Amino acid sequence: MLSQDRQEIIMQYLQTNKSVRIADLSNDLGVTRETIRKDLYEMEQEGIVRKVHGGAILNKANLETKYVTRKTVNEEEKKAIAKRAAELVEDGDTIYIDYGTTALYFSREINNKKDLTIITNSLPIAQELIDYSDFDVIIIGGNVRKNENSLFGPIAYRGIEKLFVDKGFFGIGGLDLQAGYTNMHMGESEVSRLMMKHSQLKIMMADFSKFHSTSMNQVAAIDEVDVLITDTTSDAEAVETIKSLQTKVYTVEAEGSHKDE
């Protein structure tokens, strides 16, 4: 069982019981106590739990953290978008996967591909992919942004200078059509911006909630994006505007079927 799956189970235990014991989790999940301690440490770094002697309790100040909410908000749309994006990956590709929840779902959809070289600044995504023998996983170094479990900063920027990929897969903070920009969250925007420049094919993944939404930093003009994958409930007028800029648009149903536009 992957750490991401264990931590989701631990979170379910906490939501039901308000506290957990390391010994009980070790027995229930069939892993060592040290593995559980590592999971709880990572969750504490996220601000989700507070470690206590022999276990952990919910951090009441952060019951609605990104960890809890973002993985479940528009989950079916994100999974359908991720599945469609995975169809664009070919055996032998060199790809970049940006941080974010849709990107994490995407990383779980490419496990049937062969001979991939994958570059990412996301620690959960690297952990998700590291056990696949057909994948060569490269992690961009740098400072850790704890609330996203991703890497950024001067070391990361220098490392990107010589990294080029066939396809870059990006999640986004918002699509601000009035400003003509796709927006990323503050903190890793420079990593995303640089890797977009180093991607031969630029692929954006955005569920309906990202339309007409803004975030702190402007990363790329919409007409710089080659492919946008979204769901069928996204603003139809906005989708037509994006297509008029010669960006290829794929729309998907939440259940996973898709139509190409």
Side-chain angles (χ1 to χ4, degrees):
M1 181 184 296
L2 297 172
S3 62
Q4 194 76 28
D5 297 323
R6 284 196 308 273
Q7 291 177 23
E8 289 178 1
I9 292 172
I10 291 170
M11 192 65 224
Q12 291 171 11
Y13 280 25
L14 284 165
Q15 288 176 321
T16 301
N17 303 308
K18 309 305 179 188
S19 66
V20 291
R21 289 174 47 83
I22 291 173
D24 294 338
L25 290 172
S26 176
N27 289 332
D28 290 348
L29 299 179
V31 296
T32 65
R33 295 188 182 192
E34 185 57 37
T35 296
I36 296 299
R37 288 190 186 96
K38 181 180 178 182
D39 287 334
L40 293 177
Y41 172 78
E42 292 176 357
M43 294 173 76
E44 186 177 52
Q45 292 299 104
E46 287 273 340
I48 300 161
V49 306
R50 180 163 61 87
K51 290 174 66 179
V52 297
H53 181 69
I57 60 175
L58 274 176
N59 186 344
K60 293 183 180 180
N62 291 284
L63 287 177
E64 295 300 324
T65 62
K66 288 183 178 180
Y67 188 96
V68 179
T69 59
R70 287 179 57 205
K71 289 191 179 86
T72 56
V73 172
N74 306 328
E75 183 177 18
E76 292 305 315
E77 287 82 2
K78 291 176 180 178
K79 287 181 176 179
I81 290 166
K83 185 174 183 178
R84 181 65 182 98
E87 295 176 17
L88 301 180
V89 179
E90 300 176 282
D91 293 346
D93 273 346
T94 296
I95 66 174
Y96 171 73
I97 307 177
D98 208 33
Y99 75 100
T101 54
T102 306
L104 180 61
Y105 288 130
F106 166 77
S107 71
R108 295 172 179 172
E109 291 289 344
I110 59 174
N111 55 20
N112 62 335
K113 305 296 181 179
K114 304 294 183 183
D115 194 29
L116 297 183
T117 298
I118 301 167
I119 299 169
T120 186
N121 70 329
S122 167
L123 296 176
I125 289 172
Q127 187 64 46
E128 187 77 29
L129 299 172
I130 201 167
D131 291 330
Y132 290 99
S133 59
D134 283 319
F135 298 166
D136 184 11
V137 179
I138 300 170
I139 302 174
I140 296 172
N143 302 90
V144 177
R145 188 184 183 201
K146 293 180 181 179
N147 68 326
E148 294 287 356
N149 279 343
S150 55
L151 301 166
F152 72 108
I155 295 173
Y157 310 151
R158 289 195 295 271
I160 290 171
E161 289 177 359
K162 296 182 179 180
L163 295 176
F164 295 86
V165 299
D166 300 312
K167 298 161 186 172
F169 293 85
F170 300 88
I172 63 177
L175 277 163
D176 185 358
L177 296 177
Q178 186 173 3
Y181 277 85
T182 57
N183 297 311
M184 296 285 183
H185 294 293
M186 192 172 188
E188 279 112 47
S189 60
E190 188 63 21
V191 170
S192 302
R193 183 182 294 113
L194 291 171
M195 283 310 303
M196 282 194 69
K197 292 180 179 179
H198 288 201
S199 300
Q200 186 171 349
L201 189 69
K202 304 167 184 63
I203 300 161
M204 289 288 183
M205 302 177 292
D207 66 75
F208 68 92
S209 67
K210 303 300 171 37
F211 283 71
H212 308 298
S213 175
T214 60
S215 58
M216 293 296 292
N217 285 357
Q218 296 177 334
V219 171
I222 292 172
D223 58 7
E224 295 177 50
V225 177
D226 299 302
V227 177
L228 171 68
I229 305 175
T230 189
D231 58 273
T232 53
T233 55
S234 294
D235 186 294
E237 183 178 350
V239 168
E240 289 302 317
T241 298
I242 294 169
K243 288 195 294 183
S244 71
L245 300 172
Q246 305 305 309
T247 297
K248 183 71 174 177
V249 178
Y250 298 116
T251 57
V252 297
E253 297 286 350
E255 294 75 16
S257 62
H258 68 268
K259 63 179 181 179
D260 298 352
E261 309 216 15

